[in-house]
Amino acid sequence: VNSGLMKFVAVTGCPTGIAHSQMAAESLEEVVEGTDDEIKIEIHGSSGTENVLSEEDVEEADAAVVASDISVDTERFEGTSSVHTGVQAAVTDAEELIEAAKAAVENGEDKVSYESDTNSMGIVKKIKEILS
């Protein structure tokens, strides 16, 4: 794992509202918090887009994480190592996604798909953790 600072950009998106997108963003932020890495996250929900990534954000990023169940602009990540998955995976497997993004950078991979092995019960468990 890279010991230096890595900059990540991420996009989360959910068709039914903002909750999953927001939870996914928070999970990704928690993983990066307390490390030397940085992350900036664009959130897509029923109320529109929050925290839109600038061209500069994307250019400066070492890797991108796209965790979305809706169509989002991924062309802007051409030439940047990126991991693509559903929004659910970012809620339950955020650490694995960040590790996959780091591995993509180290291996010089452009676009990696991440399949989550968690089901909808994972989200219920996560919600209970947050509420408790």
Side-chain angles (χ1 to χ4, degrees):
V1 177
N2 191 338
S3 59
L5 168 79
M6 285 194 93
K7 284 190 173 188
F8 299 99
V9 288
V11 177
T12 62
C14 176
T16 54
I18 198 82
H20 283 92
S21 301
Q22 195 69 48
M23 286 168 59
E26 286 169 11
S27 291
L28 289 167
E29 282 171 348
E30 281 172 20
V31 171
V32 173
E33 215 171 86
T35 70
D36 289 335
D37 300 328
E38 291 177 16
I39 192 164
K40 183 164 183 192
I41 305 170
E42 181 176 291
I43 302 168
H44 294 258
S46 58
S47 59
T49 307
E50 293 176 25
N51 208 20
V52 177
L53 297 170
S54 69
E55 260 180 61
E56 193 179 322
D57 292 329
V58 175
E59 281 171 22
E60 290 178 356
D62 295 300
V65 175
V66 179
S68 181
D69 295 335
I70 56 175
S71 178
V72 295
D73 173 20
T74 56
E75 279 181 23
R76 58 192 161 159
F77 303 128
E78 280 299 308
T80 302
S81 294
S82 59
V83 177
H84 298 256
T85 190
V87 72
Q88 168 72 41
V91 175
T92 55
D93 304 344
E95 198 167 333
E96 289 87 344
L97 283 177
I98 294 295
E99 289 304 318
K102 287 180 178 182
V105 171
E106 286 172 15
N107 300 327
E109 296 172 294
D110 262 7
K111 191 173 178 180
V112 178
S113 288
Y114 177 87
E115 291 298 320
S116 175
D117 57 2
T118 38
N119 56 23
S120 57
M121 286 313 293
I123 197 118
V124 171
K125 187 175 153 234
K126 187 76 179 174
I127 290 170
K128 285 181 177 169
E129 277 175 29
I130 291 168
L131 295 176
S132 63

